[in-house]
Amino acid sequence: MAQATTRQVIKHRRNSRQSRGDIVFETIVIILLALLALVIIYPLYFVVIASFSEAKAVVGGDVIFLPKGLTLDNYMECFKNGDLMLGYKNAFILLIIGTAVYLFLTILCAYPLSRRDLWGRNGIMIFCTIPMFFGGGLIPTYLTVTKTLNLHNWAAVILVGGVSTYNMIIMRTFFQTSIPFELQEAAEIDGSTPFGTLIRIILPLSIPVICVIGLYYGVGIWNSYFSALIYVSDKNLWPLQLFLRQILVNADLSAVDGGDVADMARRAMRAEIIKYAICVLASIPMLVIYPFIQRYFVKGVMIGSVKG
Amino acid sequence: MSDRSIKTAGTYKRTGLGHWIRQRRINKNWQFYVMLILPLLWYVLFCYLPMYGVVLAFKKYSAMKGILGSPWVDPWYKWFMKYYQSPYFARTITNTFILSFSSLLFGFPLPILLALLLNEVRNKTFQKFVQNVTYIPHFLSTVVLVGMLTCFTNRDFGIVNKLIVALGGTAENWMQVPSLFRSMYVGSGVWQNMGWDSIIYIAALAGVDPQLHESAYIDGANRYQCMWHINLPCILPTVIIMLILNSGHILSVGFEKVYLMQNGLNMAVSDVISTYVYRISLLSSNQFELSTAIGLFNSVVNCAMLVLVNKISKKVSDVQLW
């Protein structure tokens, strides 16, 4: 009781002792941050409003704060595009398989290494950390995967990812610090095997970190194009990012076919605007998942980052 | 299980393999080792096998014989010499170094500043809002980011050029202007990752002891002074660790973004080691040995930088990775 009052007094004093300098300082900080938020959000906002606007208005520079001539045509055009839809389907399948495989491997690696009583733990840890700093490089990896292991297409793309040591360390730190070791000991005294402990004790208590690491892996798989570029030769298996690269960056207009639009200039204009819709469509899956995971996010990341 | 081991404990030999195993609890923990089989197998196949494949840098590769069967080259440094003498040596190294160094120069301090400023905001809603807004770009893919850059700076349709024309300038296709390549690369990188990179500093700031602030207030410090003289020194170990880790990438620029931003007109500034390696090996001529040698050179420089910066940091600040 007495302590609470003292604390209140201190708090009250601190608030009332906000000098004029402090108020000016905080105002400047808030203005700076608001400006920064604006700079970061505006390009994204512009992409969204442009994607809902008529091509002519965007190209003419009329779309600045609000969409002009609200339309869904740009999106309709995207949905009609076979390549994009195929890419979407492939990327989703890769996303699900990849995230599951990576999480499976990472958990199986992190849990034993989180156990203090595991003989050889430090040695295994070093074995896992070395690849973080030294890798074979592009060609040795490519030759190993395609020639020695004879893996191609999706198998290669998925397996080359595997365990990220950084994520594994975050997970291991979480197992070590957030789950009391006594809990595991108690379960083992009651006759639980290590596999049983993992499934019944560790996993239910680790939802936050599993979600966060899953998000890391998922975003990585969804957004990367390089391993698909070198390992996937069959165009029917291309993930979305490769088609995007073709349309957005290499400006391959044939992929966005206007159909009825006859003259070149108008077609180029349309293609340019459709790109905005494509950007939105390609980013939405990751941005939609994010708020659901965000509540676990701070907890999971903080634990890993402070001690890992 | 435990009953039996108690009953028979006395009859076990205290020497030999069985004793060695029991002493280290390997018999009780065997399932943990079973769990480790798959991940460690993955490490061996996909990290250590390619690492061994680095010997290709000293061999003459023949597809029939594989990496192991291929013969060694005569002067062992043949491929390194070839890279050193090639006209691309100076260009790729300079470009790589400039790109990664300027990314570090701008991309490293800004997240720290952002975290420090965010920490000063008392309105939690505003703080959360800014934090979440700055995270968003991190979730965009490189392809989308470069696609956005291309759209914005398009000569005829891009909003940036509309603005420039409105202000009386001339429109240009920015992606094809070599002098703009570096600033666009670094700028978009900062835009995309600033918020995300600040997370670790925000976490570190959460651990600063509030008593330090209390006593500073009593001594008459204002908030600005608290930020510079308490918060910053408190997160300095984290800052240094991150700096050491980043210095280990000084010669490796992310391939994905550079390759997407590259075009015939800006090659002189955008050709970096990783894109060159890709070009001479998988894209056109199959110069596997040369590109392995370049990759090895790259790794060695990166490792050396890491060790060096770690040593300097150990001397100067007592903070170190190992």
Side-chain angles (χ1 to χ4, degrees), chain A residues 73-238:
Chain A
D73 283 357
N74 305 321
Y75 287 96
M76 286 308 164
E77 203 101 350
C78 292
F79 290 128
K80 271 190 280 178
N81 187 295
D83 277 357
L84 275 182
M85 291 302 111
L86 178 68
Y88 240 99
K89 194 191 84 191
N90 289 341
F92 262 111
I93 299 172
L94 266 179
L95 175 75
I96 290 164
I97 301 177
T99 313
V101 170
Y102 297 175
L103 273 180
F104 177 74
L105 285 176
T106 309
I107 292 171
L108 280 190
C109 194
Y111 177 51
L113 291 178
S114 76
R115 296 278 302 204
R116 282 175 297 194
D117 55 349
L118 186 84
W119 181 81
R121 184 171 88 137
N122 290 338
I124 299 171
M125 209 45 223
I126 291 170
F127 178 82
C128 296
T129 340
I130 289 174
M132 269 175 101
F133 298 104
F134 194 85
L138 175 68
I139 293 304
T141 311
Y142 177 79
L143 289 180
T144 312
V145 171
T146 55
K147 297 270 155 45
T148 316
L149 302 172
N150 203 12
L151 294 169
H152 300 279
N153 292 332
W154 286 5
V157 172
I158 290 174
L159 284 172
V160 155
V163 187
S164 139
T165 305
Y166 185 75
N167 291 345
M168 190 273 283
I169 292 177
I170 292 181
M171 202 174 260
R172 188 197 67 145
T173 315
F174 185 93
F175 291 160
Q176 252 172 14
T177 52
S178 301
I179 301 170
F181 192 64
E182 290 73 21
L183 214 57
Q184 300 178 41
E185 275 183 329
E188 270 151 38
I189 286 169
D190 288 346
S192 171
T193 60
F195 275 107
T197 317
L198 175 63
I199 290 164
R200 291 195 195 86
I201 312 271
I202 303 288
L203 290 187
L205 289 173
S206 315
I207 305 285
V209 82
I210 291 173
C211 284
V212 170
I213 302 290
L215 177 79
Y216 283 178
Y217 281 138
V219 172
I221 297 168
W222 183 267
N223 285 345
S224 79
Y225 73 88
F226 183 56
S227 50
L229 180 71
I230 62 177
Y231 295 117
V232 180
S233 43
D234 183 355
K235 202 175 168 184
N236 285 322
L237 295 173
W238 270 16

Side-chain angles (χ1 to χ4, degrees), chain A residues 17 59 119 127 159 225, chain B residues 33 42 48 162 217 223 256:
Chain A
R17 270 196 17 211
V59 167
W119 181 81
F127 178 82
L159 284 172
Y225 73 88
Chain B
Y33 297 96
W42 179 84
Y48 284 88
K162 293 279 170 220
Y217 282 126
R223 305 232 338 250
E256 297 204 341

